[in-house]
Amino acid sequence: MHSKKLLTTPALTTEKSLKTLVENRSVYSLDNCELNIFETYKEAQLVPLKFNDLVVTSMLRGKKVMHLFDDPEFEYLPGETVIVPSNVEMRIDFPEASTHNPTQCLALAIDHDKISSTLNFLNERYPKDGKNIWKLDHENYFFYNNTELATSINKLIKECMSTSVTKDALVDLSLQELLVRIVQSQTIQGLNSPKTLQTGGDNESAMHVIAEYIKNNITQNLSLKDLSEKACMSTTSFYRYFKRELGMTPLEFILNEKIKQAKQLLKHPGIQVNEVCFQSGFEDCNYFIRLFKKHEGITPKQYQQLYIN
């Protein structure tokens, strides 16, 4: 089980309104983007799909298998997002789709000029450290929705589908927020990518140094003062820097890493929950259980049962 936030699912198209059972499409066109909702009601393989603009896709219901670039195929499930550059063809399998178990996926195509102007604005107003800039990472195209990203996408769906006369203005603001959340999500994903750690370069930034320090000292009592000194910043500057880069506070990141550590430990059937608690850097077992359940939706013991067979 992975920690990922599901999106609010729009109502399915009524049977009488369906034009096709494979990738039935509903379109909402705006000034700087186009929201497409695709639904599939029967099994199909290698269905092609391509957009003229960069597209942000997110699964809403069911399961797809994606064939993208020259990478191995992968399952695509609710709570997950994939971004695809313009004019790149996706090929999609629908191994389980049926009238009783349809797939539903959104595809938000965003105008190139809107993306460029937003990233330019961010680089001018909120420059990153060193040679790093605000940009979309097309190699890091698949990630799980966190709370902030899911909230941003849900807001865009609502605005795009509304009948308000001001919806284009509201959607433009939401698009800016979405792009920020995507870059932050990709940054978080990049911190956990073996590819990033092997290639050097950006992993020498303060964020990578701090992230690695946190992971290597996860059982220690890490304070904001310790981390800011490690980054050679004042505590105020470090806090702002961290929140801007990842969209979360240092404490939230530390807790997420502790939960990840706990999940790895819980895969060992013989280990006790209180052992996992302390080996993950928590001092209070009741607090650990409450936090784990809030984060994963189940208790540590229930999570462990998933791996006992």
Side-chain angles (χ1 to χ4, degrees):
M1 177 175 292
H2 300 284
S3 178
K4 52 188 178 183
K5 301 300 179 183
L6 303 182
L7 299 178
T8 302
T9 52
L12 292 167
T13 305
T14 59
E15 187 176 350
K16 291 182 179 179
S17 300
L18 290 173
K19 304 178 185 68
T20 175
L21 294 179
V22 178
E23 291 292 66
N24 184 78
R25 182 185 182 199
S26 301
V27 186
Y28 303 87
S29 296
L30 294 101
D31 287 346
N32 291 310
C33 69
E34 177 186 85
L35 175 65
N36 302 270
I37 305 291
F38 290 98
E39 299 166 15
T40 294
Y41 292 83
K42 70 175 185 179
E43 292 183 22
Q45 287 77 41
L46 298 177
V47 177
L49 185 62
K50 182 165 67 173
F51 290 86
N52 294 328
D53 292 307
L54 177 138
V55 63
V56 178
T57 75
S58 283
M59 280 298 288
L60 298 164
R61 308 173 196 253
K63 180 175 83 172
K64 294 181 179 182
V65 175
M66 295 283 284
H67 305 262
L68 189 57
F69 308 115
D70 294 322
D71 293 346
E73 65 183 43
F74 60 92
E75 287 189 352
Y76 194 16
L77 302 168
E80 300 171 355
T81 288
V82 169
I83 62 170
V84 184
S86 60
N87 297 309
V88 170
E89 184 175 84
M90 302 169 257
R91 289 176 296 132
I92 309 166
D93 299 337
F94 301 88
E96 300 175 359
S98 68
T99 53
H100 300 295
N101 183 37
T103 68
Q104 187 183 45
C105 183
L106 70 84
L108 181 73
I110 308 175
D111 181 73
H112 172 77
D113 290 339
K114 180 63 178 177
I115 295 172
S116 295
S117 63
T118 300
L119 295 177
N120 288 338
F121 169 78
L122 291 169
N123 282 314
E124 290 172 7
R125 292 290 298 273
Y126 308 100
K128 290 175 175 277
D129 68 308
K131 297 180 180 179
N132 296 315
I133 60 172
W134 288 91
K135 64 179 180 179
L136 295 174
D137 179 1
H138 295 308
E139 290 187 5
N140 191 4
Y141 57 82
F142 172 84
F143 41 88
Y144 299 125
N145 297 342
N146 56 29
T147 300
E148 292 76 19
L149 181 60
T151 300
S152 182
I153 296 174
N154 280 331
K155 188 187 302 183
L156 262 168
I157 295 172
K158 180 181 176 182
E159 297 298 350
C160 286
M161 297 176 73
S162 80
T163 56
S164 168
V165 294
T166 59
K167 73 175 182 178
D168 273 299
L170 295 173
V171 165
D172 276 356
L173 293 172
S174 296
L175 283 173
Q176 291 181 332
E177 179 183 349
L178 176 65
L179 291 168
V180 170
R181 297 303 184 192
I182 288 174
V183 174
Q184 290 172 334
S185 296
Q186 289 182 319
T187 302
I188 295 170
Q189 194 86 340
L191 294 176
N192 298 314
S193 169
K195 184 188 298 184
T196 304
L197 297 177
Q198 290 165 6
T199 56
D202 283 352
N203 63 314
E204 295 302 319
S205 71
M207 183 53 65
H208 282 84
V209 171
I210 292 302
E212 283 305 295
Y213 179 75
I214 290 171
K215 292 174 186 179
N216 292 333
N217 296 275
I218 200 65
T219 59
Q220 304 302 312
N221 185 17
L222 298 171
S223 69
L224 183 61
K225 183 175 181 294
D226 294 334
L227 296 177
S228 59
E229 287 177 355
K230 187 73 177 174
C232 300
M233 299 180 187
S234 69
T235 53
T236 303
S237 296
F238 174 74
Y239 184 91
R240 285 201 303 262
Y241 164 75
F242 200 102
K243 188 78 184 289
R244 182 196 66 203
E245 293 290 308
L246 301 188
M248 64 175 70
T249 67
L251 177 59
E252 288 169 334
F253 182 83
I254 291 169
L255 290 177
N256 285 346
E257 289 300 315
K258 288 185 176 185
I259 293 294
K260 282 201 298 189
Q261 168 84 343
K263 287 163 66 177
Q264 289 301 314
L265 292 169
L266 286 166
K267 292 177 183 178
H268 301 286
I271 198 166
Q272 298 296 312
V273 170
N274 63 334
E275 293 179 77
V276 172
C277 167
F278 298 122
Q279 289 184 36
S280 302
F282 293 97
E283 297 177 356
D284 184 320
C285 206
N286 289 329
Y287 171 71
F288 164 63
I289 293 170
R290 288 198 306 272
L291 183 68
F292 191 98
K293 186 173 182 179
K294 179 181 178 182
H295 200 273
E296 298 297 316
I298 56 177
T299 66
K301 195 67 179 175
Q302 290 170 327
Y303 185 90
Q304 189 177 43
Q305 291 295 322
L306 298 175
Y307 295 91
I308 297 177
N309 236 331

